[in-house]
Amino acid sequence: MSLAADFGVTLTQHVLGNQAHHPGARGRFSALLTQIGVAGKLISAQVRRAGLIEVWGATGETNVQGETVQKLDRIANDTFVEVLRRSGCVAAMASEEEDALIEVEPENAGDYVVAFDPLDGSSNIDVSVSIGTIFAIYPRLHPDRVGLDDILRPGRDMVGAGYIVYGSATVLVYSAGRTVDSFTLDPSSGEFFLTRRAIRMPAATKYLSINECNAPYWQPWVQPTLDAIKGRNDDEKRRVSARHIGSLVADFHRNLLTGGLFMYPVDRRTGRGKLRLLYECNPLAFLAEIAGGGASWGGGAILDVDPEGLHDRSGLIIGPAPDVALAERQYHEYRSR
Ligand code: AHM
Ligand code: MG
C-alpha cells in the first residue's frame, strides 16, 4: 500500500503555507480555518458514534426554517458556535439552525463573520448516509461594531468557504479564493491531511442530481434543460447518469470531483427555492466557480444575489459551467415568452 503523494501535509501546515496568497483575507484567517477543522473533527466524532450514543432522532423542537431539529443538528450547531466563539477569529456568526445573528462578546471578537449550515442533509442522519457541514467566511465590515450588514452581502464578498463531508471518510474541502483543496481526516492521528490539490470540476456533466419527484412543481424551463442533457445518451454510449443523495453537501462533493450538475430549482407553487442562500448556495457557489464550474439561481449567478434576510432561500443550479449556462438560457427563453 502506498501513501497518497501529499500525505504528510496537514490542514494547518497548508493554510499557514498559503496565507500570503489568501486574497482579501486579513488577521487570523489561517487560525480560523484551523479552528473550523477542529469543529469538523468534533462533529465527525459525534456522527461516527451516532446510534451507539443517544444522538439519533429529533429533539422535539422546530427550527427557524419550520423543520424538525435532529439531535445531531443541535450538537453540530453548538459545537461549531462554541469552537468559533472561543477562537478569537470571529465577530459574528449566522447559522441555519438559529433565527438571529450570533454576536461574539467584544473581548473574543475577531476579523471575520461566518455563515454556516452545521449539519446539511438532516434527513440522512438516522440512516447513516453522508451528511456535512458547510461554511462561508466574510471579512468583518467595521472595526467597532458588528451587525446584519456584515452578513447580508452578496457571496462575491466571501474570502473563503468550504465544507466537511462525513461520508465513507471525513473530508474537508476549502478555498481561500485561489484553489480548491481537499483534506482527509486520518482517524488514527486525528489530523486532516492534504489529499487533493487545486481541484478542477470537469466541464462535461457525467451525473445529474435532482429530486425528480418535484417535477410537478417545476417552472417550464426545467424539463427542457433536463431533456437536453439526457438527450446526450444514445445507443452508442450512455454519457449521463443519475446520482442524488439528498444531502446537498455530499451530492456537490461527488459532482465537484466527477462532473455533475445538481439542480434544486425554484418551486412554482411558492415562487422560492428550498436551499438557503447564505448557508448552502453561496459557499458551494464560491467553490464551484473557483474550480471552474458555475452556480446560478436560474436567471443569474448565485454569488451576485443581494440577500434580504438571514434565511433567504434560492433556486440552485450548480455544476459544470456549460450546463449551468444551458439552464440559464432555458430560463431566460421561457421568461421572455
Ligand atoms: P437540511 O439543511 O435541512 O438538511 O436541508 C437541505 C437538504 C439538502 O441537503 C438536500 O439537497 C435537500 O435538502 C433535499 O431536499 P428534498 O428532500 O426536498 O429533495
Ligand atoms: Mg442544509
Short mmCIF file of all heavy atoms in Angstrom, two decimals, residues 96 117 120-121 276 280, ligand 2:
data_model
loop_
_atom_site.label_atom_id
_atom_site.label_comp_id
_atom_site.label_asym_id
_atom_site.label_seq_id
_atom_site.Cartn_x
_atom_site.Cartn_y
_atom_site.Cartn_z
N GLU A 96 -27.85 28.19 10.04
CA GLU A 96 -29.14 27.74 9.52
C GLU A 96 -30.09 27.36 10.66
O GLU A 96 -31.30 27.43 10.52
CB GLU A 96 -28.93 26.54 8.60
CG GLU A 96 -30.17 26.15 7.82
CD GLU A 96 -29.98 24.88 7.02
OE1 GLU A 96 -29.15 24.88 6.10
OE2 GLU A 96 -30.69 23.90 7.31
N ASP A 117 -24.08 26.07 7.73
CA ASP A 117 -25.11 25.04 7.93
C ASP A 117 -24.42 23.94 8.73
O ASP A 117 -23.55 23.24 8.20
CB ASP A 117 -25.60 24.52 6.57
CG ASP A 117 -26.65 23.43 6.73
OD1 ASP A 117 -26.92 23.00 7.87
OD2 ASP A 117 -27.20 22.99 5.69
N ASP A 120 -25.81 19.57 7.17
CA ASP A 120 -26.66 19.53 5.98
C ASP A 120 -27.02 18.08 5.67
O ASP A 120 -26.19 17.19 5.82
CB ASP A 120 -25.89 20.14 4.81
CG ASP A 120 -26.68 20.08 3.54
OD1 ASP A 120 -27.80 20.62 3.52
OD2 ASP A 120 -26.21 19.47 2.57
N GLY A 121 -28.26 17.90 5.23
CA GLY A 121 -28.71 16.56 4.87
C GLY A 121 -29.33 15.83 6.05
O GLY A 121 -29.22 14.61 6.18
N ARG A 276 -30.92 27.28 1.28
CA ARG A 276 -30.66 28.57 1.90
C ARG A 276 -29.48 29.24 1.21
O ARG A 276 -28.41 28.66 1.06
CB ARG A 276 -30.36 28.41 3.39
CG ARG A 276 -31.53 28.39 4.33
CD ARG A 276 -32.61 27.41 4.10
NE ARG A 276 -32.21 26.03 3.93
CZ ARG A 276 -32.75 25.00 4.57
NH1 ARG A 276 -33.73 25.20 5.42
NH2 ARG A 276 -32.36 23.77 4.34
N GLU A 280 -25.96 27.47 2.28
CA GLU A 280 -25.77 26.34 1.35
C GLU A 280 -25.33 26.82 -0.03
O GLU A 280 -24.30 26.40 -0.55
CB GLU A 280 -27.07 25.54 1.26
CG GLU A 280 -27.40 24.85 2.59
CD GLU A 280 -28.85 24.37 2.70
OE1 GLU A 280 -29.75 25.01 2.12
OE2 GLU A 280 -29.09 23.37 3.39
MG MG B 2 -28.73 22.21 4.74
#
